[in-house]
Amino acid sequence: MTSVLRRLLLASAAATALGMAPAYAADVTLLNVSYDVARELYKDVNPVFEAQYKQQSGKSIEVKQSHGGSSKQARSVADGLEASVVTMNQANDIDMLADRGLVVKDWAKRFPNNAAPMYSTMVYLVRKGNPKGIKDWADLAKPGVQVVIPNPKTAGNGRYTYLAAWGSVLQNGGNDAQARDLVTKIFRNVPVLDGGGRAATTTFTQRQIGDVLVTFENEVNLVRAEMGSNFDIVYPSVSILAESPVAVVDKVVDKRGIRKEATAYLNFLYSEAGQEIIAKHYLRPRSAAVAKKYAAQFKPIKLFTVDDVFGGWRAAQKRHFDDGGEFDKIYASK
């Protein structure tokens, strides 16, 4: 059977990978457009959902996948990729689709927990023994430390990392000028700015570039589970709550008459079976029972939200990531 890491890295060269069609013709086909480090999760979710739906409804259903950087994926849907559902790693990408009329404006109220059936946070993957002694955000800004982070303009992974570093300063009593200085120094230490989180993982683990990879907790655990002798995981003192929101693409499902099936698919993620799969992939589940069962694999960490520190995703996007925003100014000065 193909190893976890092998499956992780074989897919990294392509920005988008669609599932292969089965030998039979399904009654209904859905396309889930998702972010790139969720590949393995949905490889496990989809067959369980398909079997359950067949048993409950008598109808066969096939779920195909498309993966890439979260913001890049959202733009593909906006440009015409006919997603039935989107499962992203930040609300900002779905808000953009709502602004384009593809998703309803109140999409976050259509499912529980702000339409986010799972969440994660940003942590560090370092070389075995942590030779650079990396413990917290300030260590990423030190001279001689190479930090691997994907591009915040195209990847939710990179955006969360940027906001986590900025917010860590504010959470510790600092001001915006100090936060800007820290983030500027961190990005000066980034040797290559990959387009997505999976590409950044490949850069760090396969190309052997960098001293530390900053990525989602679930991603570092998958790599650590496969290559534990080569890497260690470091948790910073504070990090950001990284929700993974989902939405039905209303314009597409209504045109194709598949709203019921698309909604059932997203509801499955909240079911005990779905939450169990989520937890097994090191994503933090919403179910209290499942969270308790897997508590040992999720280290307690102080988390802040985008709403708490930045006034929500729309405000964060406008100030930090829109063209001419804080990130562009910081990266131009690198």
Side-chain angles (χ1 to χ4, degrees):
M1 182 175 180
T2 307
S3 69
V4 174
L5 188 62
R6 185 176 178 82
R7 287 190 292 146
L8 284 176
L9 300 174
L10 283 175
S12 64
T16 299
L18 294 177
M20 294 181 66
Y24 63 87
D27 295 322
V28 176
T29 299
L30 302 177
L31 174 60
N32 175 13
V33 174
S34 190
Y35 61 106
D36 57 357
V37 301
R39 296 173 194 270
E40 288 64 45
L41 169 66
Y42 288 107
K43 283 179 182 177
D44 285 350
V45 164
N46 292 348
V48 178
F49 166 72
E50 291 165 356
Q52 183 186 95
Y53 194 82
K54 175 71 172 179
Q55 183 181 38
Q56 293 175 349
S57 70
K59 294 175 67 176
S60 60
I61 192 166
E62 179 196 359
V63 183
K64 293 186 176 183
Q65 289 297 132
S66 174
H67 293 281
S70 185
S71 297
K72 184 177 180 180
Q73 290 290 83
R75 286 195 294 272
S76 294
V77 174
D79 291 340
L81 180 61
E82 291 205 341
S84 313
V85 300
V86 287
T87 56
M88 298 303 191
N89 60 26
Q90 58 173 323
N92 198 43
D93 290 329
I94 304 181
D95 282 336
M96 184 270 286
L97 297 177
D99 291 342
R100 301 287 185 94
L102 293 164
V103 172
V104 294
K105 291 287 186 180
D106 66 345
W107 64 267
K109 298 179 180 179
R110 297 297 177 97
F111 296 93
N113 305 111
N114 297 317
M118 55 196 156
Y119 66 100
S120 189
T121 189
M122 309 312 294
V123 300
Y124 314 148
L125 187 70
V126 298
R127 308 290 173 191
K128 187 67 177 179
N130 194 6
K132 293 296 179 76
I134 295 164
K135 296 179 180 179
D136 219 337
W137 295 102
D139 295 322
L140 306 186
K142 291 179 178 178
V145 175
Q146 285 195 325
V147 187
V148 178
I149 304 170
N151 191 343
K153 300 282 279 190
T154 58
N157 181 319
R159 207 162 296 176
Y160 274 120
T161 297
Y162 172 107
L163 294 177
W166 189 291
S168 72
V169 175
L170 304 184
Q171 290 288 290
N172 288 313
N175 57 36
D176 277 336
Q178 292 168 321
R180 184 181 299 106
D181 181 63
L182 174 67
V183 174
T184 299
K185 289 177 179 176
I186 289 174
F187 276 90
R188 283 176 182 165
N189 286 346
V190 176
V192 56
L193 207 59
D194 289 303
R198 184 51 52 75
T201 298
T202 302
T203 292
F204 186 72
T205 61
Q206 292 280 293
R207 297 172 63 195
Q208 296 292 308
I209 293 174
D211 301 300
V212 54
L213 168 70
V214 188
T215 190
F216 291 116
E217 179 183 37
N218 59 299
E219 179 82 343
V220 298
N221 274 290
L222 287 171
V223 175
R224 181 70 158 67
E226 181 63 27
M227 300 181 67
S229 61
N230 297 327
F231 303 103
D232 290 332
I233 299 173
V234 175
Y235 279 73
S237 60
V238 60
S239 196
I240 196 165
L241 178 73
E243 293 185 314
S244 297
V246 302
V248 170
V249 183
D250 298 87
K251 188 173 182 179
V252 173
V253 300
D254 288 341
K255 181 179 73 173
R256 297 184 57 206
I258 55 171
R259 176 175 290 276
K260 178 181 177 181
E261 293 82 0
T263 302
Y265 179 63
L266 296 185
N267 278 329
F268 175 78
L269 298 175
Y270 288 92
S271 70
E272 291 302 294
Q275 291 281 288
E276 181 91 10
I277 297 170
I278 283 167
K280 285 180 178 178
H281 283 265
Y282 300 99
L283 284 153
R284 299 191 179 215
R286 297 295 193 176
S287 164
V290 176
K292 182 178 181 180
K293 180 178 177 181
Y294 288 88
Q297 74 181 32
F298 296 114
K299 182 177 179 178
I301 181 173
K302 180 182 177 183
L303 299 176
F304 61 85
T305 70
V306 175
D307 286 348
D308 291 340
V309 176
F310 299 97
W313 269 109
R314 288 184 183 275
Q317 172 68 34
K318 183 177 181 179
R319 178 182 176 186
H320 293 277
F321 307 116
D322 275 356
D323 290 346
E326 292 276 11
F327 175 73
D328 282 352
K329 294 174 184 175
I330 285 170
Y331 203 68
S333 69
K334 182 178 177 181

